[in-house]
Every structure is written in C-alpha cells, then in structure tokens.
Amino acid sequence: MGLLNSLFDVFVSPASLFGRIKYGERWGGWVFAILTLAIFTLYFSFYSVIDSEWLVQRQLAEIQDLPTSQREEIARIFRNLAGYAGWIATLFSVMLMLLAVAVLSFYYMYMDQSTEKKSYEQWFTFTLWTQTPVLVSTLIFVVMLFTVPEQDFRPDLINYSSLSHILNISNENEVLYSLGSSLNLFYVWNIFLATVGIKIWTDTSFTKAAFIALTPYVVYVVAQILMA
C-alpha cells in the first residue's frame, strides 16, 4: 500500500499500519521528510506573525545578569538573527527530534525480547512513525494562528498543547512552569502509538508494551524535575 494510505492508517488504524510495515516497506525517508516539513510549517507560520522585538526581549530576559554593555551587544546580535528565527528554530527542533528518535530506537531495540529481533534501522523508522502526531499538532496550531482575533493573540499560543498552557500555570512558579512547558498533551498519542507498535513488533502483551513505551517519558519527567 502507498505512503498516503499508511499516513491515514497511523491515525485511524495504527495496528494495521504497524502490522503491515513489520516486514514490508516502512517509508522511513518520506516520514522524516514529512515530519521536517511539519516542523518547518509550525515555526515559519509562527514567526511570520510574531513581533521580532518581543522575541528579542524574551531572549534578553533570560540573561539579566550580564553588564549593560554586553546586553546591548547581545541584543544587537539577536535583532540581526531575528529574521532567521524560523530557520534556526526548525533546524534546532529537527536535530532534537533526530536525537530523541535515535535514543528511543536504541531503547526499543534493546527491550525487544522477541525471537525475531529487528535491526536498529527498522526500529528507527518505527520510532519516526510514532512521532507523526506532530502533523495534527501543527495543523491545529496553524488553524488557531490564523483564526484567533489579533487582539486575542498571545506569543505563547505556540505552546497551546503544553501542560503549562492547558493548566494555566503562571511563569512566576518557575519549576512548575518549566516542567509544564516541557510536557505536551500529544505525548500521550506518541505513547499510544508506540504501545500499539511494540505489541505487534515484539509479540508481547499490551501491558508490557505500554510499560516499555511509557518508561522513557517518565525518565524524561524525572530528569526535568531534578534539573529544575
């Protein structure tokens, strides 16, 4: 079956998709390209409407301890880079995605105790498929971006699916705000897809597959708390 059918199935029938790509064509390169395009769309649509001076001031707020002369020099650099913010954010996010996929792929391969083990390359493509909810996340954001009245627009709209935004956590509580900002509602969807796929690819129980899929995110949350 084609790529479009596979993209449709990952949202409506993930068990069918993972069962089909277990031995067949996995479309890894195309999935990566589509995810990159989604990230590109997310940031370029955001930075096309965001005020560049707000962005500069937000960056400067994170380095308040510097002398005035150094802050002015850094502000000048930030203003020069503001026009490239979309490219910089896209590159940084794609690199983080690749790092996360690489680590998760190794973890899934290590946890695979089935008699017919898959290669790292197979697990890497598998993990790319579990990241596809970003397509829905981006679509929702773009719709919100161009339908929210201008007077109601807030720069933190880009974090609309983070817990800090959903629970309206104030940035005055730095620890909770930082933790909430790093946790995304779509992670639940990622975990669900990974659970379904792991169950099929390793012939294990749903409970064990869910445990394997959930553990990296629990470790991530604990790490965020410890570093806060």
Side-chain angles (χ1 to χ4, degrees), residues 16 27 30 32 44 47 50 63 87 107 115 140-141 144 155:
S16 174
W27 304 101
W30 282 104
F32 171 71
F44 270 79
Y47 287 112
I50 198 67
I63 51 174
W87 289 106
Y107 165 74
T115 56
I140 293 174
F141 172 75
M144 292 173 61

Side-chain angles (χ1 to χ4, degrees), residues 3-210:
L3 174 61
L4 291 180
N5 286 329
S6 295
L7 283 172
F8 180 78
D9 281 347
V10 76
F11 297 114
V12 300
S13 182
S16 174
L17 169 74
F18 287 116
R20 192 166 64 249
I21 68 174
K22 185 176 181 180
Y23 301 108
E25 173 60 60
R26 297 175 183 84
W27 304 101
W30 282 104
V31 176
F32 171 71
I34 291 170
L35 293 176
T36 300
L37 179 61
I39 294 172
F40 172 88
T41 302
L42 172 69
Y43 286 111
F44 270 79
S45 59
F46 175 71
Y47 287 112
S48 69
V49 300
I50 198 67
D51 178 53
S52 60
E53 186 58 29
W54 172 87
L55 180 63
V56 171
Q57 294 304 320
R58 181 179 180 182
Q59 292 170 322
L60 289 175
E62 299 178 1
I63 51 174
Q64 297 179 354
D65 296 334
L66 290 178
T68 303
S69 59
Q70 292 185 23
R71 281 176 57 82
E72 291 176 352
E73 177 62 20
I74 291 177
R76 183 185 66 81
I77 295 174
F78 284 163
R79 289 189 178 94
N80 290 337
L81 292 175
Y84 304 97
W87 289 106
I88 295 171
T90 297
L91 179 61
F92 184 69
S93 295
V94 170
M95 291 175 62
L96 282 181
M97 179 189 70
L98 283 175
L99 177 61
V101 169
V103 173
L104 284 172
S105 302
F106 179 82
Y107 165 74
Y108 294 150
M109 183 179 68
Y110 176 79
M111 297 299 292
D112 181 8
Q113 301 300 316
S114 62
T115 56
E116 191 175 351
K117 292 181 177 293
K118 313 297 184 296
S119 68
Y120 178 79
E121 181 182 359
Q122 290 173 304
W123 280 113
F124 191 91
T125 301
F126 169 94
T127 308
L128 283 174
W129 277 107
T130 67
Q131 304 305 303
T132 48
V134 73
L135 303 180
V136 176
S137 174
T138 297
L139 178 61
I140 293 174
F141 172 75
V142 171
V143 171
M144 292 173 61
L145 187 65
F146 293 104
T147 56
V148 171
E150 185 175 350
Q151 65 271 19
D152 295 331
F153 175 78
R154 296 187 305 171
D156 64 353
L157 182 66
I158 195 170
N159 296 320
Y160 78 94
S161 57
S162 70
L163 290 187
S164 60
H165 190 278
I166 294 171
L167 300 178
N168 198 27
I169 300 174
S170 171
N171 57 11
E172 294 179 359
N173 190 328
E174 294 184 7
V175 176
L176 283 180
Y177 181 79
S178 177
L179 179 61
S181 297
S182 64
L183 296 177
N184 193 297
L185 186 63
F186 283 89
Y187 288 169
V188 177
W189 200 345
N190 296 140
I191 293 169
F192 170 74
L193 288 178
T195 299
V196 172
I198 291 169
K199 180 182 183 300
I200 293 171
W201 276 40
T202 64
D203 301 316
T204 190
S205 67
F206 186 86
T207 301
K208 184 176 180 179

